[in-house]
DNA sequence: CATGAATGAGACTTCATTCAT
DNA sequence: GATGAATGAAGTCTCATTCAT
């Protein structure tokens, strides 16, 4: 196996195991076993379990970010861009439940204290797609005159809850329902 | 110390430590030390750490439920009842940050899988205040025609995010801002 | 309950629990619970668990000794006295399985190192019924010229094994079989 | 130290400590200390203390079995084979007192309930040397017409008692005495 | 005298991490 | 680089014993 092959396998297995079992219930030995590497090998790539966990987060965050920025939306209206971004987000999270579960766990743990959920989308600086959208929505007077943090919560809070319930099998989200939820979120933030 | 004094102290300390550090990082020894009881004493009151954690949840859930049901609202309009309930919830969570943090952690852990956040308010049967409200809102055609689960997410998802940010000190929620957020949530669920 | 009533109850329950579960698996709390006394009460009668265990042994030993000396056998032949004593022993142990199990455990544990099984019957000085019998058997030339310790082992070793198997349900000892086993033991020690 | 060196050392030390102090009084920490390994190392080789205890038994049983089957005895008479086997057993147990003490403890504990002492020698199927001997003795009419279990008790019960006394230093067994004891056992089982 | 809540030493076990091979 | 056996600190839990009531 190539060098990066081992690293990738460790990352893949660690994300999967932690998403399913939690940080605590996932031992380094389990990861090593399932990734078919020696226990010590993980430490060639990650200084410690803590570092591994943070690295996993960064990679999951990055992938999500990329999913949300694949397409230029500059020529659409604010509303249409919101609908598109939200739909993309929904679809990505539903298609990648392990990533979603991992991110949820990460945020809801001591690790996530200094890294609010909003930051997933916001912290990429000016280029964060939701951030950019909300700023422009503000400027055009299309959205409520509320702090960006509040707009994030209004738009994304419900989404996270719905996706969690869907992944846990408590509620089935089909395309029609997704569209309705997004519309309702829009009602919450639009002026 | 009175008989129940020790149990109360264990509960208080355990909630605080777990809220701040997480389940995993809070050892039984830490709880015993800080509660100033012997290590074995905890086990007179709680069969195991697991049982302690679930008991803490039950007590926190109960207190929250009580806070939301102290006042009869039957003679108010749906909208006013919603505003009142949401304000009460906001205020309770902000005034009891340890309980909030504990509940958040509990839900976002293997413990909480079978106990969705919505259930906090819903599962008390017909008397769950939000459940009752949403059902009536539905019936009267005041609210969107969406499943109750979705209405919960739309109304409560943003609240949880805002409260978390407030408690972590990322954003200051004053009464005016709370009122605005609640209004926006109402926009999200009203027809 | 009278004072001795409590002590007796503790002794009875402790013997039963230890016979069934072993020293280690029987906690003082279990004994107190089942004897319906407070945990501290046991310590009014027995200085420690160790003392209780030794006291239990002494009482069991005493009862067995009494069972073997109820009847004067001086006018019987050596052989008949042997048969009678052995039959009595067999019957007593089978009728009192808890006592047997307790004694077995006691001997086969650090407690019993300084108190060989033979001592049950021997240590009552000159009056130990088996000891007396073997000495006279020796003197009359009816028994093999072997040390008393060896005669004890030849006569009693098989009995203990048989009784254990019977009590554990591995083998059914009826009166006929008992008689045969005793006859065989006699063959082992007779000249 | 070689790879298996640690396991062997753990086994050796555990057998010794348990033989001297009993299961309960021998902690895993004591074993680790005396074997000069880390506390966790024992668990690489044995899943739990329970498993260690059973494994120790299996190894002790196996060694005893091997000691009794090193030599083919098919061309000897039943009586000579009996004398030889018994002598071998005596010598093995006296030469390996730790194994003897361990086996005694094991049988006389909850572990040994389902594994009667007789089974040490019997359960190897048709090849158990004592079993084979007793069956043939039966068939040839050389031995008493008693169940095999009884023959085991008559032959081996006294041996165990004598060996225990010898090991504990209560009685010195020299070769001459051993021969006499075995003869007496033969008298007990022969027709 | 009796009680039983409280204690804390100590038992078993896990697991992140190291390091000789 | 890779391995995985070894480590030992730390965690959960038990239980003989004490002592205030």
């Amino acid at each position: 196996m190539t060098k990066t092959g081992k690293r990738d396998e460790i990352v893949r297995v660690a994300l999967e195991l932690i998403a399913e079992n939690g940080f605590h219930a996932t031992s380094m030995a389990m990861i090593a076993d399932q990734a078919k590497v020696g226990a010590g090998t993980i430490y060639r790539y990650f200084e410690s379990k803590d570092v591994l966990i943070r690295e996993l987060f960064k990679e999951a965050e990055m992938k999500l970010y990329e999913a949300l920025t694949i397409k230029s939306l500059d020529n659409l209206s604010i509303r249409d861009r919101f609908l598109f971004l939200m739909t993309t987000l929904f679809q990505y999270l539903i298609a990648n439940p392990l990533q979603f579960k991992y991110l949820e766990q990460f945020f809801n743990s001591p690790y996530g204290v200094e890294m609010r959920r909003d930051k997933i989308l916001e912290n990429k600086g000016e280029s964060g797609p939701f951030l950019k959208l909300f700023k422009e929505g503000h400027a055009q007077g299309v959205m409520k005159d509320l702090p960006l943090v509040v707009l994030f919560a209004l738009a994304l809070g419900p989404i996270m809850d719905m996706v969690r319930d869907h992944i846990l099998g408590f509620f089935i989200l089909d395309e029609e329902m997704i569209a309705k939820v997004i519309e309702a979120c829009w009602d919450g933030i639009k002026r």
Side-chain angles (χ1 to χ4, degrees), chain A:
Chain A
M1 195 184 291
T2 61
K3 180 183 168 181
T4 48
K6 276 190 201 297
R7 188 187 188 284
D8 286 355
E9 191 60 7
I10 291 166
V11 165
R12 193 185 66 73
V13 166
L15 188 96
E16 179 176 327
L17 289 175
I18 294 176
E20 297 297 359
N21 310 317
F23 298 123
H24 177 209
T26 304
S27 70
M28 295 298 264
M30 282 167 64
I31 296 170
D33 276 3
Q34 203 143 329
K36 292 190 177 144
V37 300
T41 304
I42 300 177
Y43 290 84
R44 295 229 145 268
Y45 298 101
F46 306 95
E47 199 182 334
S48 68
K49 191 179 185 183
D50 243 59
V51 167
L52 170 61
I53 286 169
R54 284 181 220 281
E55 205 65 37
L56 251 33
F57 167 71
K58 277 190 212 160
E59 302 203 5
E61 185 189 30
M62 178 67 72
K63 282 186 185 168
L64 171 55
Y65 176 74
E66 283 168 1
L68 292 175
T69 50
I70 41 167
K71 195 172 169 188
S72 171
L73 306 167
D74 293 341
N75 48 343
L76 295 183
S77 70
I78 295 289
R79 183 174 184 281
D80 285 348
R81 281 162 63 190
F82 178 79
L83 298 183
F84 180 84
L85 272 180
M86 291 284 276
T87 307
T88 305
L89 176 62
F90 247 127
Q91 286 169 345
Y92 179 83
L93 294 177
I94 285 175
N96 297 277
L98 294 178
Q99 311 246 356
F100 174 76
K101 285 187 190 176
Y102 187 88
L103 291 170
E104 277 281 286
Q105 270 196 64
F106 187 86
F107 282 115
N108 239 298
S109 78
Y111 295 109
V113 167
E114 78 271 16
M115 221 178 295
R116 285 174 302 161
R117 174 177 298 160
D118 306 354
K119 296 285 180 80
I120 312 176
L121 310 162
E122 182 181 18
N123 252 351
K124 293 296 157 188
E126 290 303 302
S127 60
F130 275 100
L131 180 65
K132 193 157 167 261
L133 178 66
F134 289 165
K135 280 187 177 170
E136 291 182 28
H138 245 187
Q140 297 185 19
V142 182
M143 290 183 187
K144 288 194 173 77
D145 186 28
L146 291 168
L148 289 172
V149 170
V150 177
L151 294 181
F152 270 106
L154 288 168
L156 302 173
I159 274 45
M160 298 299 153
D161 285 1
M162 296 305 320
V163 171
R164 187 188 322 114
D165 280 358
H166 173 83
I167 287 175
L168 294 177
F170 295 135
F171 181 74
I172 308 301
L173 271 177
D174 56 20
E175 289 203 12
E176 191 188 334
M177 186 58 68
I178 289 174
K180 283 185 182 173
V181 172
I182 293 173
E183 279 287 355
C185 287
W186 176 251
D187 289 344
I189 62 173
K190 80 151 189 265
R191 187 183 292 268

